[in-house]
Amino acid sequence: MSFPGIPGGRSIPGPGDMAGMSQQEQELTRALQATMESCAGKTVMSGVMGFALGGAFGLFMSSMSYDTPLSAQGQQLTNLPLRQQLSRGFRDMGSRSYSSAKNFGIIGAMFAGTECCIESYRAKSDWKNGVTAGCITGGTLGAKAGPQAAAVGCIGFAAFSAAIDAFMRRQTD
């Protein structure tokens, strides 16, 4: 398997590309490939990557809430000593980052696991898997707020999944 755009034509060894590897390296490569091709492996990987992305996004967004002392929260902070300002700011940034990380991780794991299960059941890899998984994920996340929120979540996630799938599967020249 080679990745487009990588100079030198480097690739990840596939089943037929294991010449020159020791027996132990071949076994490790097969085990890693089997893990990444399984639904459990994809779900865990998506959850971990979603957690990391959500943490970075949460950190960025929480840092933006302290950009001006004109807000009520900013006025309260400016009256405190610098050490307390920093302490409160970092504590708030940490809690917001963790909250975003947790949410992104859950959404990523839920979507990837659902899509993989649908793909395994249908034995097809097409746009319908992503749209269906998006609908199930969005509907599940919105279900606590009632049937209308579940329907909106289903439609929203399905539409977003369709858009991303169309972009990722488009033909390039």
Side-chain angles (χ1 to χ4, degrees):
M1 292 184 280
S2 60
F3 293 102
I6 294 180
R10 291 185 213 128
S11 65
I12 295 175
D17 301 331
M18 294 195 193
M21 289 185 168
S22 69
Q23 183 68 23
Q24 185 178 11
E25 289 173 330
Q26 290 178 8
E27 290 173 9
L28 179 62
T29 302
R30 283 190 200 106
L32 288 174
Q33 287 174 343
T35 301
M36 291 309 299
E37 290 174 3
S38 72
C39 286
K42 288 178 183 178
T43 301
V44 169
M45 183 63 129
S46 295
V48 169
M49 295 304 289
F51 188 87
L53 180 66
F57 182 74
L59 184 65
F60 175 75
M61 293 305 288
S62 66
S63 70
M64 292 294 128
S65 67
Y66 296 107
D67 62 347
T68 178
L70 301 177
S71 67
Q73 186 180 15
Q75 283 292 328
Q76 291 174 351
L77 279 175
T78 56
N79 296 332
L80 297 173
L82 179 62
R83 188 175 183 130
Q84 283 185 329
Q85 288 180 23
L86 291 173
S87 174
R88 285 191 184 181
F90 284 135
R91 192 177 321 121
D92 186 50
M93 287 170 71
S95 67
R96 288 188 191 189
S97 293
Y98 180 71
S99 176
S100 289
K102 191 172 54 168
N103 289 336
F104 274 60
I106 289 169
I107 291 170
M110 186 183 297
F111 178 82
T114 305
E115 184 181 33
C116 187
C117 289
I118 291 169
E119 188 175 320
S120 297
Y121 178 76
R122 292 184 65 228
K124 292 181 183 178
S125 180
D126 60 7
W127 62 272
K128 294 175 186 175
N129 298 333
V131 171
T132 306
C135 181
I136 291 169
T137 302
T140 302
L141 293 172
K144 287 183 181 178
Q148 186 176 5
V152 169
C154 171
I155 292 167
F157 268 76
F160 183 72
S161 297
I164 295 297
D165 233 353
F167 177 76
M168 296 301 286
R169 292 181 189 264
R170 68 188 162 106
Q171 298 294 323
T172 57
D173 293 331

